[in-house]
């Protein structure tokens, strides 16, 4: 009987290659891998068609699905290669780490109260032995040191013997600084080894984090380990395979056992000794695909430079640092743009794994995955765009799926704004799948076993808890987009109850846009919105009645908040295209615009809306502007009125001599200290204009010469006839016209 310990670092291609060679030489009859024993039954899927790394084991507590742990595997992970070896050679394999039933049961452990990815190398957070060794070897970081020591090795050095010796020294240096949880994990691993020995296995291979090797090299008494494991809390858990992504294998994602460049490590795993040449060739191919200069000569020069850098640094072959420096020098021409492209497409090389359909999963997860497959919606880790025409049934089903997932809090897709297309019949989505969505789906399974049932139950719950009208109308919009017809009637009744008890103008205005959108979407989604139309009619009537009174006696902060709601409600009411509603709305706006009790910011916006849509003439607007910019009105109130009237567009001011003259005269009449006080407010208003509008206003101000510029006060511009004649031959050529006579020239 012999026990062979293979200390590894998670996600290391060199380590995985050395482990595969060691297993071939040993030919073990039992393999123990550091991992959750609850997932032993899932090992049967490894190596089978459909399970394509990167993937992760997900272990969670069904009672509280948010308490979950991921164990990620890439194709170059040593543990994954050990499992594949066992499946290929029919060798018994099982996980030997402390069960997550005990670890998730530790309610006082803050690290287990959130979804996390477990570092399979098992190093305690308070001890960084690899960092100590890297520093002692003269390296600035652990990643570079490990990459050159292990990942790019080609000699026959006993790697695992060297790792065991290093870790033994490091643990001696660490002394008693061992986390209690780590001690319990190692006790369980020793028990797993004892069990394998008891079962009669002769050559036992143990694949574990390098830090644990010294603790497993000798077996203390079974009683001492039993004492360490006595009285551990326990919670019921479940396990499954889920797709993982290269992006989630990086340090940048927050994964403690991550690597800097998973795409580079996969490249090392596949190409071995010729990795440098293949890598530079892929760089050139990528850059040429984006119309950037890259030729075989560049590849040759970059390869020579990388080899030279490695030799100068006394390294056996170029590593990632040398290659990237060579790429920057030869390919990038002092530009960071190609480097950003290379980092994203090659260093990360975003990929999402695949999981077969027969992997055990909760019904909701199975339902979602089945719909994704039926609708041919590829689940990808990189962002993609999906353009949907809702008049096509297949596209409509995709939209419904995305909206239902969003209602569950799973933002697989984000709606993008489009120009030039109808918002009713077209949707543009940006899709980006996150591995953590698997946990979100499991957590949402408490609402139902199907996506439609779960989304409907959540809609009922939110409707019952909603206390304001905008909450309910926003929910109604999401219900329609998600095609949850069973929820429409109950939520509609709730809206009617709340709307009759809502006197607040802001709430009434905020409730209108979602409901109007619902009426617009009804035709595209084949939903009967007749009952909803009566609710909208009632809301518009209440808003028109409340508007003149709701603008009075407001503080500046409250008025600023109400301004956005007023603008949105105006757009919504105009979208209804109902003459009766527009007449009542314009009448209410006119009352608010002329009332001296209305806040000037909102009164100015009311006047702007009336003028913009032809209900007021420019002369009528000029009268109101003149009244609010008179000497009898406080300058600050006038500035607020102007902000409401002009904010968002200076078109009226740029194209109306009458309005321009009034505003210009008011500004010129302000004393210097008052103008300085008003300047921030005026600058904020002008800042909302387009660049073209600002230029036109600037030209008008320049022509006015700083004086009062009323109608027709612009000074004539003198024309230099000699210079003007020089352009005439060019114009004749451009427009193919006969030469002009001298008389015409003089004119």
């Amino acid at each position: 009987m012999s026990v062979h310990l293979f200390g590894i670092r998670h996600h290391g291609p060199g380590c995985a290659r050395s482990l595969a060679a060691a297993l071939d030489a040993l030919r073990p009859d039992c393999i123990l891998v550091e991992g959750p024993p609850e997932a032993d039954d899932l090992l049967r899927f490894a190596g089978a068609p459909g399970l394509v790394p990167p993937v992760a084991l997900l272990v969670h507590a069904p009672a509280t699905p948010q308490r979950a742990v991921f164990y990620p595997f890439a194709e170059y992970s040593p543990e994954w290669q050990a499992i594949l070896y066992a499946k290929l050679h029919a060798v018994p394999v099982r996980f030997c780490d402390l069960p997550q039933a005990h670890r998730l049961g530790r309610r006082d452990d803050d690290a287990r109260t959130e979804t996390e990815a477990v570092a399979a190398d098992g190093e305690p957070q308070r001890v960084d032995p690899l960092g100590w060794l890297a520093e002692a070897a003269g390296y600035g970081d652990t990643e570079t040191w490990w990459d050159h020591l292990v990942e790019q090795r080609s000699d026959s050095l006993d790697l695992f013997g060297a790792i065991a010796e290093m870790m033994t020294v490091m643990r001696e240096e660490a002394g008693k600084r061992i986390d209690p949880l780590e001690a319990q994990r190692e006790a369980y691993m020793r028990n797993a080894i004892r069990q394998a020995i008891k079962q009669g296995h002769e050559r036992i291979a143990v694949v574990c984090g390098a830090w644990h090797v010294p603790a497993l090299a000798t077996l203390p008494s079974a009683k001492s380990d039993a004492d360490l494991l006595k009285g551990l809390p326990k919670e019921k858990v479940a396990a499954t395979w889920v797709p993982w992504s290269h992006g989630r294998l990086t340090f940048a994602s927050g994964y403690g056992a991550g690597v800097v460049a998973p795409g580079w490590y996969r490249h090392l795993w596949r190409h071995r000794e010729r990795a440098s040449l293949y890598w530079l060739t892929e760089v050139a191919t990528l850059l040429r695909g984006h119309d950037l200069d890259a030729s075989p000569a560049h590849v040759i020069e970059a390869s020579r430079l990388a080899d030279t850098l490695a030799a100068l640094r006394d390294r056996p072959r170029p590593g990632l640092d040398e290659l990237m420096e060579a790429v920057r020098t030869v390919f990038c021409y002092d530009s960071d743009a190609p480097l950003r492209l290379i980092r994203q497409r090659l260093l990360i090389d975003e990929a999402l794994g695949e999981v077969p359909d027969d992997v055990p999963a909760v019904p909701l997860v199975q339902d979602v995955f089945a719909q994704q497959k039926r609708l041919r919606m590829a689940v990808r880790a990189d962002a993609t765009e999906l353009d949907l025409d809702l008049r096509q049934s297949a596209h409509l089903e995709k939209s419904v799926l995305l909206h239902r997932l969003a209602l569950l809090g799973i933002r697989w897709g984000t709606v993008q704004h489009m120009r030039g297309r109808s918002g009713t019949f077209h949707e543009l989505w940006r899709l980006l799948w996150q591995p953590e969505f698997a946990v979100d789906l499991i957590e949402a399974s408490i609402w139902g076993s199907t996506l439609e049932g779960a989304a409907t139950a959540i809609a009922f719950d939110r409707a019952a808890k909603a206390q304001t009208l905008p909450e309910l109308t926003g929910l109604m919009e999401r219900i329609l987009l998600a095609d949850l017809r069973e929820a429409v009637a109950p939520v509609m009744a709730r809206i009617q109850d709340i709307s009759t008890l809502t006197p607040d103008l802001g709430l009434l205005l905020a409730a209108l846009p979602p409901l109007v959108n619902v009426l617009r979407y009804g035709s595209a989604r084949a939903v009967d919105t007749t009952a909803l139309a009566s609710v909208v009619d009632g809301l518009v009537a209440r808003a028109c009645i409340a508007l003149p009174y709701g603008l009075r006696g407001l503080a500046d902060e409250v008025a600023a908040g109400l301004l956005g709601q007023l603008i949105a409600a105006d757009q919504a009411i105009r979208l209804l295209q109902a003459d009766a509603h527009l007449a009542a709305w314009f009448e209410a706006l006119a009352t608010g615009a002329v009332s001296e009790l209305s806040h000037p910011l909102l009164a100015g916006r009311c006047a702007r809306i009336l003028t913009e849509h032809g209900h007021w003439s420019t002369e009528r607007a000029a009268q109101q502007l003149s009244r609010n910019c008179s000497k009898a009105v406080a300058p600050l109130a006038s500035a607020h009125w102007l902000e409401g009237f002009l904010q968002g567009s200076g078109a009226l001011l740029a194209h109306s001599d009458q309005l321009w003259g009034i505003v210009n005269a008011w500004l010129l009449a302000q004393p210097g200290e008052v103008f300085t006080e008003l300047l921030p407010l005026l600058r904020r208003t002008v800042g909302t204009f387009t660049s073209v509008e600002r230029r036109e206003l600037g030209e008008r101000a320049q022509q006015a010469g700083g004086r009062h510029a009323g109608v027709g006060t612009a000074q004539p511009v003198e024309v230099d006839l000699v210079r003007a004649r020089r352009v005439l031959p060019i114009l004749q050529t451009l427009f193919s016209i006969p030469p002009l006579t001298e008389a015409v020239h003089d004119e």
Side-chain angles (χ1 to χ4, degrees):
M1 182 276 302
S2 59
V3 177
H4 300 265
L5 303 175
F6 298 100
I8 53 92
R9 182 193 183 212
H10 205 36
H11 311 312
C15 203
R17 188 174 296 115
S18 297
L19 176 62
L23 292 177
D24 278 334
L26 176 62
R27 303 187 68 83
D29 59 357
C30 178
I31 298 178
L32 303 178
V33 178
E34 183 179 323
E38 296 91 343
D40 281 347
D41 185 55
L42 297 174
L43 289 174
R44 59 191 170 92
F45 293 99
L51 188 65
V52 181
V55 291
L57 284 169
L58 168 60
V59 184
H60 64 94
T64 53
Q66 68 274 17
R67 295 172 59 80
V69 177
F70 291 106
Y71 286 81
F73 298 91
E75 64 180 273
Y76 48 80
S77 297
E79 301 92 335
W80 181 256
Q81 290 302 316
I83 294 170
L84 291 184
Y85 176 91
K87 306 304 290 186
L88 180 62
H89 295 85
V91 175
V93 59
R94 57 179 178 266
F95 290 118
C96 63
D97 200 356
L98 182 67
Q100 281 296 333
H102 299 311
R103 299 170 70 174
L104 290 177
R106 294 166 54 129
R107 298 287 180 174
D108 58 337
D109 188 350
D110 294 337
R112 301 291 181 251
T113 60
E114 298 178 356
T115 300
E116 61 175 311
V118 168
D121 55 6
E123 296 173 13
Q125 292 183 347
R126 290 175 292 178
V127 180
D128 183 15
L130 297 183
W132 297 346
L133 292 171
E135 184 178 358
Y139 286 81
D141 63 278
T142 304
E143 188 77 10
T144 303
W145 171 77
W146 185 268
D147 183 66
H148 286 89
L149 179 71
V150 176
E151 303 307 340
Q152 299 192 56
R153 287 181 61 253
S154 60
D155 53 47
S156 57
L157 175 69
D158 181 8
L159 173 65
F160 298 106
I163 289 177
E165 184 177 350
M166 287 190 300
M167 292 301 106
T168 300
V169 174
M170 288 297 100
R171 289 190 71 122
E172 290 175 356
E173 290 291 330
K176 299 298 183 181
R177 292 181 295 170
I178 304 298
D179 187 273
L181 176 60
E182 297 303 310
Q184 292 169 345
R185 294 177 63 196
E186 291 166 352
Y188 193 92
M189 292 181 197
R190 289 191 291 266
N191 278 346
I193 294 173
R194 293 188 184 97
Q195 183 182 4
I197 295 173
K198 186 176 180 180
Q199 291 172 346
H201 295 292
E202 296 293 331
R203 297 177 305 280
I204 303 170
V206 181
V207 181
C208 62
W211 179 256
H212 298 303
V213 170
L216 306 182
T218 57
L219 299 179
S221 66
K223 182 179 183 305
S224 62
D225 285 340
D227 290 340
L228 283 173
L229 299 173
K230 186 177 181 180
L232 288 178
K234 192 171 184 179
E235 183 166 346
K236 183 180 179 181
V237 299
T240 186
W241 286 107
V242 296
W244 204 247
S245 69
H246 272 175
R248 285 295 185 269
L249 290 174
T250 61
F251 283 125
S253 69
Y255 175 31
V259 296
V260 172
W264 163 249
Y265 270 5
R266 183 171 68 174
H267 180 87
L268 274 180
W269 171 254
R270 293 179 177 179
H271 297 291
R272 303 196 179 195
E273 286 78 8
R274 304 193 67 185
S276 298
L277 180 59
Y278 280 104
W279 174 262
L280 293 173
T281 303
E282 289 184 7
V283 168
T285 302
L286 174 66
L287 296 180
R288 287 175 68 88
H290 287 77
D291 295 328
L292 298 173
D293 191 15
S295 68
H298 286 88
V299 175
I300 294 171
E301 187 61 29
S303 179
R304 289 173 176 171
L305 179 55
D307 288 338
T308 303
L309 288 172
L312 288 173
R313 295 167 181 174
D314 196 23
R315 294 173 181 175
R317 61 173 53 85
L320 184 58
D321 289 343
E322 289 77 27
L323 288 170
M324 290 303 293
E325 289 178 34
V327 166
R328 174 189 283 275
T329 303
V330 176
F331 287 96
C332 296
Y333 303 104
D334 297 326
S335 173
D336 286 338
L339 279 179
R340 289 194 294 269
L341 178 64
I342 292 168
R343 290 191 182 102
Q344 182 62 37
R345 297 290 295 275
L346 295 182
L347 292 185
I348 304 299
D349 194 9
E350 192 62 271
L352 190 72
E354 299 178 11
V355 174
D357 296 336
D358 54 345
V359 167
V362 298
L364 177 60
V365 175
Q366 293 176 334
D367 181 52
V368 171
F369 287 172
Q371 291 190 49
Q372 290 172 334
K373 186 175 181 179
R374 178 176 61 84
L375 296 174
R376 298 181 180 179
M377 298 179 69
V379 177
R380 299 178 55 175
D382 55 338
T384 59
E385 286 192 351
L386 180 65
D387 192 355
L388 299 180
D389 183 349
L390 303 183
R391 291 167 292 190
Q392 301 180 30
S393 59
H395 286 204
L396 181 58
E397 288 186 72
K398 292 178 181 180
S399 174
V400 168
L401 171 63
L402 292 169
H403 281 295
R404 287 177 178 177
L405 287 173
L407 199 58
L408 266 60
I410 300 169
R411 301 288 179 179
W412 179 21
T414 305
V415 178
Q416 307 295 297
H417 296 290
M418 296 185 301
R419 293 182 180 179
R421 288 188 175 180
S422 170
T424 302
F425 291 102
H426 278 91
E427 287 181 347
L428 181 64
W429 292 83
R430 183 177 182 271
L431 304 184
L432 180 62
W433 184 266
Q434 304 287 353
E436 291 82 356
F437 290 160
V439 176
D440 297 334
L441 283 172
I442 293 172
E443 188 173 355
S445 64
I446 62 174
W447 297 102
S449 58
T450 65
L451 180 58
E452 181 178 6
T456 301
I458 287 180
F460 284 153
D461 181 71
R462 292 181 182 175
K465 294 178 179 177
Q467 299 297 320
T468 65
L469 194 56
E471 288 181 86
L472 286 167
T473 56
L475 177 62
M476 175 59 76
E477 181 182 15
R478 300 181 69 183
I479 287 173
L480 178 65
L481 295 175
D483 195 21
L484 304 176
R485 307 197 179 202
E486 291 186 9
V488 171
V491 177
M492 185 84 70
R494 179 81 171 142
I495 289 175
Q496 290 176 328
D497 292 342
I498 296 294
S499 63
T500 57
L501 303 175
T502 301
D504 184 88
L505 174 62
L507 295 178
L508 290 171
L509 295 179
L512 280 172
L515 289 185
V516 172
N517 284 335
V518 165
L519 292 178
R520 294 177 66 223
Y521 288 132
S523 59
R525 297 176 182 272
V527 175
D528 183 10
T529 56
T530 305
L532 187 61
S534 62
V535 176
V536 173
D537 292 341
L539 282 178
V540 172
R542 293 188 185 93
C544 292
I545 294 172
L547 179 65
Y549 306 97
L551 305 183
R552 302 176 180 178
L554 300 177
D556 292 343
E557 294 79 6
V558 177
L562 190 58
L563 177 64
Q565 297 169 337
L566 178 65
I567 295 172
D570 171 66
Q571 294 173 344
I573 291 175
R574 285 188 286 109
L575 281 175
L576 289 174
Q577 298 180 348
D579 293 339
H581 288 331
L582 283 175
W585 179 244
F586 286 145
E587 183 179 353
L589 290 174
T591 304
V594 301
S595 174
E596 295 182 356
L597 300 177
S598 298
H599 191 282
L601 177 70
L602 300 173
R605 176 50 63 171
C606 290
R608 171 58 180 260
I609 294 173
L610 293 167
T611 306
E612 233 175 12
H613 302 294
H615 193 73
W616 275 9
S617 65
T618 304
E619 290 73 17
R620 179 71 180 87
Q623 293 175 3
Q624 197 64 27
L625 173 62
S626 178
R627 174 184 174 187
N628 283 275
C629 292
S630 67
K631 294 182 178 180
V633 179
L636 185 59
S638 298
H640 276 302
W641 195 95
L642 281 173
E643 181 182 11
F645 186 73
L646 298 174
Q647 188 183 65
S649 174
L652 285 176
L653 193 58
H655 299 118
S656 171
D657 292 335
Q658 191 173 11
L659 296 179
W660 165 261
I662 296 172
V663 174
N664 190 44
W666 175 74
L667 284 173
L668 292 174
Q670 301 305 317
E673 63 277 6
V674 175
F675 181 81
T676 302
E677 181 181 353
L678 297 178
L679 189 57
L681 185 59
L682 296 172
R683 180 177 295 170
R684 183 175 67 188
T685 303
V686 176
T688 63
F689 299 168
T690 66
S691 58
V692 175
E693 292 169 345
R694 291 198 297 269
R695 184 171 62 252
E696 289 182 4
L697 293 174
E699 290 173 353
R700 295 197 69 147
Q702 185 179 18
Q703 291 174 3
R707 299 183 300 275
H708 172 51
V711 179
T713 59
Q715 300 297 320
V717 179
E718 295 185 4
V719 178
D720 188 337
L721 294 178
V722 175
R723 295 181 62 192
R725 288 192 185 104
R726 294 174 185 169
V727 79
L728 293 179
I730 300 175
L731 294 176
Q732 294 167 12
T733 302
L734 290 175
F735 295 105
S736 300
I737 59 177
L740 301 177
T741 64
E742 191 64 29
V744 176
H745 275 281
D746 292 339
E747 292 179 2

